Amino acid sequence: MISADWSAANKKRAESLLAAYPERRSAVMPLLYVAALEHGYVSEQAQRDVAAITGLTAAQVQAVASFYTMYKREEVGEYLISVCTSISCYLLGADDVLMAISQETSTPDGEMSSDGMFSIEHVECIGACGGAPALQVNYELVEGVGPDKGRELCRWLRDARPGVVLGDEMQQLFGGRRSFDWGPAEDIGATAPVPALDAFGNAVRGHAK
Amino acid sequence: MAETGSDRITITMDGTEVEVPRGQLLIAAAEEAGTYIPRFCWHPRMKPVGMCRMCLVEIETPRGRLLTTSCTTPVSDGLVVDTASDVAVKAQEGVLEFLLINHPLDCPVCDKGGECPLQDQTLAYGPGESRFVEPKRHFEKPIKISELILLDRERCILCARCTRFSSEVSGDPLLEFAERGTVTQVLTFPDEPFASYFSGNTVEICPVGALTAKPYRFRARPWDLEAVESVSLVDAVGSKVSVQSSQNEVVRINGVDNGPTNQGWLSDKDRFSFEYINSSQRLTVPLVRHNGEFEESSWTEALDLVAGKLGSMAGSAIAGLGGARSTNEEAFAFGKFLRTVVVTPHIDAQLADGLDPQFLATATPRAAIDDLDKARTILVWSADLKEELPVLYLRVRGAATTHGARIIVVHPRRTGLDDVATHKITYRPGRGPEVLRKLIAGDGTYAEARAALDDGPVVAIVGRPGLSEGPRLAEAVAAFARDLPAGKIMPVTRRGNVYGALDMGLAPTLLPGRVAASSEQGRSRLEDVWGPVPETAGKSAKGILEGLEEGTITGLVLLGSDPVRDFPDPGLAARALAGAEFVVSLDIFLSDSSHQADVVLPVESFAEVEGTVTNLEGRVQKVNRLVPGPGQSRPAWAVLDDLSRRMGGDLGAHSAEGISKEIATVAPAYRGFGWDMVDWGEGREGVILPLDEGEQPLQYVPVDPGLRSRSSAGLSLHLARVLYDDGVQTRMSPSLASLMPAAAVYLHPRDARALGVAEGDRVEASTDLGDAELVVAYDDSIARRTAYVPANLPETAMLGAAPGLTIERLEEVVG
Amino acid sequence: MSTSILTGRMNARPTDSHTLAAYEQTGGYVALRKALIEMDSAAVAAEVKASNIRGRGGANFPTGVKWGFLPPTFPRYLVVNGDESEPGTFKDRQLLERDPHQLVEGVILAAYGLEVQQAFIYIRGEYAKPARRVERAIADAYAAGYLGRDILGSGFDLEITLHLGAGAYICGEETALLNSLEGKRGEPRIKPPFPAVEGLYAKPTIVNNVETLSNLPWIVGKGGTTYAGLGPETSAGTRIFSVSGHVNNPGNFEVVMGLTWRELIFDLCGGIAGGRDLKCWIPGGASAPWFVPELHLDIPVTIDDTAAEASMLGSGAVVVMDESTNVVGAAHRIVRFFSHESCGQCTPCREGTTWLENVLARILDGRGRPADVELLLDVSDNISPGLKWPPAQTTICPLGPSAVSPITSILTHFRDEIDAMVGALEVPVG
């Protein structure tokens, strides 16, 4: 039924996603995430796959994939570091955090490092204003990260090379003020620069080092 | 405030009360009332989207004045609108300034200059200066998005007309917005070009020069062009066109919005096949065969030769084929020439590849194209309309998406209408009668479709899905459909003026004006004007070619007809022409059949002739002349008139309009019709005949011919046309010739496996009538035990339309 | 002066407030039981109407009135707007992460009151952890029989689909959200028709904010009129303010409205960090015109009082700026946000927001001209005619006029700062 050349597990996920909506086309957005996990990023082939599954043209899928910032249509590094630079984080020095991280990883804003380890980007408000300045690694949040802690975080990612990126772990090590009490630390995180959700199969239990 | 009738209301516009249709969009109501509100994204034939914001006006509301887009505001009772208030004017100026800040200064090199809504509206509604000193955004420009169309994203103002047309009207969403915000752009997907049959429409409706057409790019400036209105002769829909020339050469064809037929849209074949008119291969001098080779001749010598030869043969040993691509006047002259000068009853405008002529020309009750919009259920049992009658396909599609009509498609494989069809019945060619019986009975899976057909009004579009299916099935379907609630039928076949040709009597069973050839009264009335016409029954195209093969017919006159190429049994056609004693062909190119003629006479073509044509509704429209024919080519009617006189006859044809007057006298269905009726004003929409003064003596009532399903072992052949085939109009238009698809034999993957072949294998495909060497392709939409072969491609032209097909894998020759 | 309708459980049970067990142990799903067994749909809808609750997403439209717009046709859909992306706002994130079952119960109650059988929860893509919490809560609710067929034996069926966004602020606009949910670009639609009449898949649809629906268990449990009695009549109930910027104690604060800005900034949030002076603040998210201490400190924090001061409470996001702030830089940062987030459909927003951003960037870069100030005003006027409040718009949706707010704010309150930057400030003689 799923006419894309995907792993059996991802095909199964695709079927569940299609069944969750009254109309097939609605599944385009979650399918693009699964396609990103299947191909490493939202490549042309990933978009063709989603078109075949949903019965849309590839142009229609491209129209959606290119509208949203979280569908990465070029190769993305192992660790995607998204630094918020909207108003609240800006007031609390986000531009310095972005510069520090960019320098530490030798990666210009908006690009991937030459060794494929990091992609750096500035983003708009990620809803962590009470813990400004804030950033995400593979969409797992770290709040209250100044320039120095930001550099340390990069060095740690390179050295420890965590297979699962855990928000609580990073917050413990490098974070500062939080928007609110996070409650107990969680050991579920992301394995790729795609938001980690059970439905996508990429919300994985990890162990803090 | 007063309601002046249930469908008209009064609004106040710019201080004046005006009466407008209830519910009409304000922008359209204003225009009809004489006030033009500037706009870019709004198009009268598409849903409004309010995106460009150019049409902002102020309306009064209980909460004060509201600035709103007039294209998304339907008029309501008592609406008060100010289209040019200070606020509205400032807003409009502001929108234009915004549009121009990133628009490149391309006017000197842009095709659109001179007919550009952005230029025009900037002049009329825009600010005098630009205040933008920031860097403009840039894109690589232009980029090729298909073989025909180029895209310049810098010029694009993102009105979405092209993307909306593609998804909403033509159903080919290959062009869509991409990215977001200030870098939003129109784009195709890599390696998936904008290969739509309707892509040219987007160039025409683009309000700037963002989309340009390769066949026209840089060729002329609009102020240099001369133009006439005419009718596309690519197919029988009767799409209205504007033919445009520069220095006596046709350079462009645009669509004209004719409400009842094409509503402004054209297929790319309608639009770009004008190139054949200018081809250097056009016939320009008469050719006479001497010692087996063609030699250029003079008109006098050639016509004398033809007159002498035809005059020396018995009338009934001569036959005439053609006229389906000519005007009514030319076709009438042809019929009169054959019946009264040659004195033969053997005439056929079709080549056994259409439907019964009486059925096609006079079936009742006949549907008009507009009836599709009023239908609740539409049955389509014919060729794939998207390939054969593309603009009709757009109208059916529109009926489904805009008017909610249910569409039932019956066909051996996928068609362009499948995605808007409520029911799709796939069947194996030959089993049609059985499918029809089940549909009529509403058996099993057919129950829902049958129930839908009881919800009228119903329109049934009937034809031959493929060339290897016979013509009688369409009549059986029509017999069923005409008894459905408010049921109307639309028998369809392809050639540009086949309906006009049949109306002029170019069939063995018809006399001019929708009169049966067997009608004593009809024949007697005709003879009152023409003198004696042959009484014996005439042969149809098949009989004529068989006669030529066996020698009972020895002479053949062709008018724009190519049986060697188009007759479904190519072997018979070839033998027939080879065996003929004398063949004269009136043609515009040296077609395969003309190659075999003894005399070839060059005639004028589309855009070079003046006359009328009749479409599949029986609607007559005017074809107008814009450029002279090449070299010594002459109008076909003049050639036939000249020939007649040399044969001692007299067609009495002194002008095309004169012929038209005789048609009105002689053809009952055309009584009362004159050119002036369709030359200007509302008459430009054409008139469906007969008028009140006229009558249609023959009213063909289709009956179920009691067909039986045919089932064969092996594969059933579905031989069907594609839009860009090897026909002359495509082949001689360089822009379109490259779009001809690769030939293949399409099989269901399971059938392929069972036959021991795979996609990509080369096979020898054979019917009882011919062979072809083809590549195998998979088609998972096709009925089982069926093979689809696109007709009339160079590789498939000799296959022949027989019911069954065998294939044999060709071994690779290693060497 | 805080009540804890929404945040009570997460404060009382910090270690496990997000779990089903903790939720059931603290009164969770009791209101649902009461509604399904003792009340009919109309009665539940009536409680919501009686509560006078106004939508907490930013438009502040009375929820009960919105529900009343549904025509009597089926099917209809309920869509939860969890696309919280207005800069300065992070309240829904806390509700999703720390008390997801409260939302789920609210959604089921709303669906029951609206006679909806299919609901969607749309959460912005960047909220991976909150979305996981909701995902787990939905799964647990299904397992416990609170979702699916014949819930608690009542005969009521409800399916919930969780849908993740992918990074587009504009999808917080309800019609853009619906387009996004349909698998299209997140482009706002022309209104009318409104979603209640023609919404998801062209069917009648109600779109409600996360915080709005999270109130329903309390409203149905304690009664709508009880809720209406909290706080001022036209700003009833509690709401959560997200405060950020240069304050000592940023965070989410659930309050009954009516306190003043002075109390909010200096008492609740501990005043300005580092002992600096307050320069200005944004009362309701990046789209709102700014307030200044000279004029607004003693205005009550209510929806209507804020509107009367030509601004809006919006999503309840307060961004505080101290004296060290380069207000032109801050304005530019906000305008840049809107330029990035513009969907691109309509001319004035697509071209205008970027033009405004370019001019401000050029001014910040030291290449401004005196004429640029008038230019900023006139370009703004071509997006939002009259530069008035509530704003008029030449655009399809309010995003364009939102970009104008920071510009009118700095030109109204800090004109001399921008004039100095462009070299237009007249130096007084003598």
Side-chain angles (χ1 to χ4, degrees), chain A residues 20-21 26 29 33 63 68 70 85 88 91 95 124-125 127 136 140 143 177 181 184 186 196 198-199, chain C residues 15 90 93 98 124 126 132-133 135 161 163 165-166 180-181 184-185 201 244 246 248 333 336-337 340:
Chain A
Y21 301 90
S26 288
M29 286 184 74
Y33 281 130
Y68 299 93
M70 289 171 66
T85 54
S88 300
L91 291 170
D95 289 354
E124 300 294 350
C125 181
Q136 293 186 318
E140 297 301 318
E143 304 193 90
R177 176 156 62 194
D181 176 5
E186 204 182 52
D198 281 341
Chain C
T15 53
F90 48 99
R93 181 185 137 216
R98 304 300 314 283
R124 62 178 298 188
E126 296 89 339
R132 286 198 293 274
R133 291 279 168 90
E135 191 179 32
T161 294
H163 182 97
S180 181
L181 200 40
K184 301 172 185 161
R185 294 162 65 85
Y201 313 126
S244 60
H246 294 145
N248 277 313
R333 191 54 58 105
R336 186 176 88 172
F337 167 79
H340 280 177

Side-chain angles (χ1 to χ4, degrees), chain B residues 49-53 56 67 90 94-95 97-99 102 131-134 157-158 177-182 184, chain C residues 167-168 185 190 340-343 345-348 350-352 354-355 358-359 362 378 381-382 385 394-396:
Chain B
V49 287
M51 282 166 62
C52 70
R53 314 308 286 176
L56 287 167
L67 195 60
K90 180 161 199 292
V95 169
E97 184 179 29
F98 284 137
L99 285 174
N102 277 310
R131 304 175 287 182
F132 187 76
V133 298
E134 324 303 327
I157 58 168
L158 296 164
F177 274 14
E179 308 297 335
R180 180 173 93 197
T182 194
T184 307
Chain C
R185 294 162 65 85
I190 299 282
H340 280 177
E341 299 297 334
S342 167
C343 76
Q345 267 194 110
C346 75
T347 310
R350 179 184 69 242
E351 307 292 345
T354 305
W355 193 358
N358 285 166
V359 174
R362 187 162 47 75
D378 198 53
D381 186 76
N382 284 335
T394 58
T395 52
I396 294 177

Side-chain angles (χ1 to χ4, degrees), chain B residues 302-635:
Chain B
L303 286 176
D304 278 342
L305 178 64
V306 175
K309 207 54 197 178
L310 292 180
S312 74
M313 299 159 97
S316 58
I318 301 172
L321 289 174
R325 293 206 180 95
S326 309
T327 61
N328 293 343
E329 291 75 10
E330 291 168 334
F332 182 80
F334 190 50
K336 189 174 181 188
F337 168 73
L338 289 167
R339 285 196 164 101
T340 68
V341 179
V342 173
V343 191
T344 174
H346 309 307
I347 310 175
D348 204 347
Q350 297 185 86
L351 287 171
D353 54 357
L355 300 173
D356 177 272
Q358 291 188 338
F359 174 54
L360 261 182
T362 73
T364 62
R366 185 184 219 92
I369 299 177
D370 275 348
D371 287 328
L372 294 169
D373 290 339
K374 301 179 205 124
R376 301 243 333 136
T377 308
I378 300 172
L379 173 64
V380 182
W381 195 328
S382 68
D384 185 353
L385 296 178
K386 197 174 187 185
E387 301 288 347
E388 294 236 335
L389 294 154
V391 173
L392 183 64
Y393 152 83
L394 290 182
R395 292 298 306 265
V396 176
R397 194 180 181 82
T401 57
T402 308
H403 302 284
R406 270 182 304 239
I407 315 290
I408 301 172
V409 177
V410 188
H411 201 80
R413 62 185 292 263
R414 71 167 56 92
T415 75
L417 285 170
D418 286 2
D419 69 312
V420 293
T422 41
H423 301 88
K424 172 70 190 290
I425 299 168
T426 304
Y427 75 102
R428 190 170 174 227
R431 307 206 65 85
E434 183 185 323
V435 169
L436 179 60
R437 258 194 296 285
K438 285 191 180 148
L439 179 60
I440 293 173
D443 282 350
T445 51
Y446 293 80
E448 231 184 74
R450 181 63 185 89
L453 289 166
D454 274 335
D455 189 12
V458 175
V459 172
I461 299 176
V462 298
R464 280 167 87 169
L467 290 167
S468 45
E469 283 183 84
R472 312 295 310 282
L473 184 60
E475 295 186 44
V477 179
F480 161 59
R482 72 194 298 278
D483 287 335
L484 293 169
K488 289 190 182 172
I489 49 186
M490 185 184 282
V492 293
T493 190
R494 199 180 63 147
R495 284 196 191 84
N497 195 28
V498 63
Y499 294 85
L502 295 176
D503 277 358
M504 297 300 106
L506 297 189
T509 53
L510 286 170
L511 295 176
R514 302 186 198 161
V515 176
S518 57
S519 156
E520 292 279 337
Q521 195 180 52
R523 170 190 312 280
S524 146
R525 285 214 179 116
L526 181 60
E527 288 180 335
D528 285 347
V529 183
W530 279 9
V533 298
E535 269 184 47
T536 46
K539 293 184 201 285
S540 67
K542 180 159 184 274
I544 290 169
L545 292 172
E546 282 170 344
L548 281 164
E549 185 187 24
E550 46 186 59
T552 50
I553 296 182
T554 51
L556 182 62
V557 186
L558 298 170
L559 175 60
S561 180
D562 188 2
V564 167
R565 213 48 204 275
D566 290 340
F567 187 73
D569 182 350
L572 171 60
R575 293 190 302 275
L577 259 72
E581 196 184 304
F582 184 75
V583 179
V584 53
S585 176
L586 284 71
D587 210 343
I588 59 175
F589 286 102
L590 211 54
S591 67
D592 287 20
S593 297
S594 292
H595 247 297
Q596 305 232 36
D598 297 289
V599 179
V600 182
L601 302 171
V603 290
E604 288 181 341
S605 164
F606 178 73
E608 300 158 356
V609 296
E610 190 106 352
T612 54
V613 289
T614 308
N615 78 346
L616 50 78
E617 305 170 286
R619 177 186 304 274
V620 184
Q621 298 180 81
K622 186 86 190 309
V623 162
N624 286 305
R625 180 177 195 271
L626 181 64
V627 294
Q632 297 184 41
S633 62
R634 299 169 70 186

Side-chain angles (χ1 to χ4, degrees), chain C residues 140-157:
Chain C
D140 289 348
Y142 267 103
Y146 298 121
L147 283 171
R149 318 288 311 266
D150 193 23
I151 297 173
L152 301 180
S154 65
F156 176 60
D157 304 334

Side-chain angles (χ1 to χ4, degrees), chain A residues 12-35:
Chain A
K12 198 141 178 292
R13 288 182 188 114
E15 280 174 22
S16 300
L17 289 166
L18 284 168
Y21 301 90
E23 294 196 8
R24 216 170 167 85
R25 186 175 181 160
S26 288
V28 166
M29 286 184 74
L31 285 171
L32 280 168
Y33 281 130
V34 180

Side-chain angles (χ1 to χ4, degrees), chain B residues 569-760:
Chain B
D569 182 350
L572 171 60
R575 293 190 302 275
L577 259 72
E581 196 184 304
F582 184 75
V583 179
V584 53
S585 176
L586 284 71
D587 210 343
I588 59 175
F589 286 102
L590 211 54
S591 67
D592 287 20
S593 297
S594 292
H595 247 297
Q596 305 232 36
D598 297 289
V599 179
V600 182
L601 302 171
V603 290
E604 288 181 341
S605 164
F606 178 73
E608 300 158 356
V609 296
E610 190 106 352
T612 54
V613 289
T614 308
N615 78 346
L616 50 78
E617 305 170 286
R619 177 186 304 274
V620 184
Q621 298 180 81
K622 186 86 190 309
V623 162
N624 286 305
R625 180 177 195 271
L626 181 64
V627 294
Q632 297 184 41
S633 62
R634 299 169 70 186
W637 64 264
V639 173
L640 292 165
D641 180 72
D642 196 341
L643 188 54
S644 298
R645 275 183 278 110
R646 287 169 209 258
M647 288 175 71
D650 182 10
L651 287 189
H654 305 295
S655 67
E657 185 161 16
I659 299 176
S660 172
K661 294 195 164 102
E662 183 177 335
I663 294 173
T665 313
V666 151
Y670 282 64
R671 192 177 311 136
F673 174 76
W675 278 12
D676 56 341
M677 253 176 212
V678 292
D679 253 338
W680 57 280
E682 261 179 37
R684 287 161 55 231
E685 287 183 357
V687 287
I688 295 188
L689 299 181
L691 303 168
D692 288 337
E693 305 110 283
E695 57 165 321
Q696 184 168 310
L698 177 61
Q699 312 235 349
Y700 189 90
V701 175
V703 293
D704 186 340
L707 299 169
R708 306 189 55 143
S709 277
R710 152 176 58 77
S711 190
S712 46
L715 296 165
S716 289
L717 174 61
H718 175 59
L719 183 69
R721 290 192 209 280
V722 291
L723 186 66
Y724 299 131
D725 59 11
D726 202 32
V728 109
Q729 284 170 357
T730 311
R731 196 179 347 133
M732 296 300 177
S733 298
S735 297
L736 297 180
S738 61
L739 299 177
M740 206 168 50
V745 53
Y746 292 81
L747 300 170
H748 194 281
R750 292 222 190 98
D751 288 333
R753 218 173 358 260
L755 291 163
V757 295
E759 194 162 54

Side-chain angles (χ1 to χ4, degrees), chain C residues 31-51:
Chain C
L32 179 64
R33 219 172 277 277
K34 168 180 163 192
L36 290 180
I37 292 163
E38 298 168 30
M39 301 164 76
D40 63 10
S41 296
V44 171
E47 289 301 335
V48 173
K49 187 115 191 265
S51 71

